[in-house]
Amino acid sequence: MNYRRWPAVAAAGFSFAALVYILAVLTKAGQTIENAALRGADQANVSDSDTAWHSLGQITVYSLAAAVVAVAAIGVLRKRWDLTIAAVGVIVAGQLTVQALKRFILPRPALVEVTGDYAHNSLPSGHTTIAMTVLFAAIIVVPWKWRGVMLFFVLPWATAIGQYTLTAKWHRLSDTLAADGIALALAAIASWWLQRKGSLKPYTGPSRKGRVVLVVVWSSIAAATAALGLILWGFSLANDGLNADEWVIYLGAGTFATAGSLTAALTFLGCWRRIE
């Protein structure tokens, strides 16, 4: 196996998160656009907002603990303590990292006028990190033959959480994208540790056509949402500059959030292709 794969993915994840922070938080244009997206979320359909609040509200300390127990139980049942340690470590490290960054390390300079809750730093998103690290932990610990079934249920949920944080106005787009990058990097580090221990074995059996179809569909959605976001933001910002329509900016932010989470998930899944 190629040992360089995991460090490269980890470096890319951390670098992406740092770039998002620099562009979105440390520039006046970045803060202006993201604040416009938050105001645009006020125009979201009530049912969409209620769904977002309900879904985010289900992510609690208790549900996170339950997810950790479920992930650990799979590893224990497989008698794979190495996978258990790596998977649980990804979830725990994810929260320790993002909470430290958000609360103590990353400042949010007051570059534009803003009042209320939106003045404090909220990067990276804890909720998005939970969703993505749970997904990555499941990829690590679930047996290869059941990985497709797990992805069918968990990947759409994990992807939706990032977009919901925007709809509920709990987070900005940069918060979600940075969380995607950090979660991916931590999962890659855990996988690298497993590989260096000799814990990862190649799968030599037949491919699963259903899983291939799902990956193609998810990849198409990721590409389509990224393209739609570029179109929405590109035309709006080109025509109106930083005074662009807030609803359009919000819609673009939502599509970018979906594309970001899907891209991170598919990248990690690709790295684990045909690995037991």
Side-chain angles (χ1 to χ4, degrees), residues 48-89:
D48 292 340
S49 181
D50 288 345
T51 299
W53 275 82
H54 175 72
S55 298
L56 295 174
Q58 290 183 324
I59 299 179
T60 65
V61 173
Y62 302 106
S63 62
L64 177 58
V68 170
V69 170
V71 165
I74 295 173
V76 171
L77 288 173
R78 294 185 65 189
K79 298 180 180 180
R80 292 294 305 273
W81 291 101
D82 48 357
L83 298 183
T84 303
I85 293 171
V88 172

Side-chain angles (χ1 to χ4, degrees), residues 34 209 230:
E34 291 208 297
K209 294 182 180 179
L230 289 173

Side-chain angles (χ1 to χ4, degrees), residues 41-161:
D42 288 331
Q43 303 177 46
N45 187 284
V46 174
S47 62
D48 292 340
S49 181
D50 288 345
T51 299
W53 275 82
H54 175 72
S55 298
L56 295 174
Q58 290 183 324
I59 299 179
T60 65
V61 173
Y62 302 106
S63 62
L64 177 58
V68 170
V69 170
V71 165
I74 295 173
V76 171
L77 288 173
R78 294 185 65 189
K79 298 180 180 180
R80 292 294 305 273
W81 291 101
D82 48 357
L83 298 183
T84 303
I85 293 171
V88 172
V90 168
I91 300 174
V92 174
Q95 284 309 295
L96 291 176
T97 301
V98 299
Q99 295 304 327
L101 290 172
K102 179 165 56 178
R103 298 176 186 276
F104 307 113
I105 299 175
L106 298 181
R108 184 175 184 82
L111 302 181
V112 298
E113 184 178 353
V114 61
T115 59
D117 294 337
Y118 306 133
H120 69 277
N121 180 48
S122 56
L123 184 149
S125 165
H127 280 74
T128 302
T129 303
I130 288 174
M132 296 304 292
T133 53
V134 168
L135 171 64
F136 294 152
I139 291 175
I140 290 173
V141 80
V142 169
W144 189 89
K145 65 180 180 179
W146 293 106
R147 198 172 293 159
V149 176
M150 178 277 297
L151 288 168
F152 181 81
F153 293 101
V154 180
L155 193 150
W157 165 78
T159 300
I161 291 299

Side-chain angles (χ1 to χ4, degrees), residues 197-243:
K197 280 177 53 46
S199 298
L200 302 184
K201 307 298 181 182
Y203 173 79
T204 58
S207 61
R208 301 281 177 126
K209 294 182 180 179
R211 189 181 309 178
V212 173
V213 171
L214 286 176
V215 170
V216 170
V217 170
W218 288 326
S219 299
S220 300
I221 293 174
T225 51
L228 179 58
L230 289 173
I231 293 172
L232 290 171
W233 278 24
F235 280 102
S236 186
L237 293 173
N239 292 330
D240 302 314
L242 296 181
N243 294 316

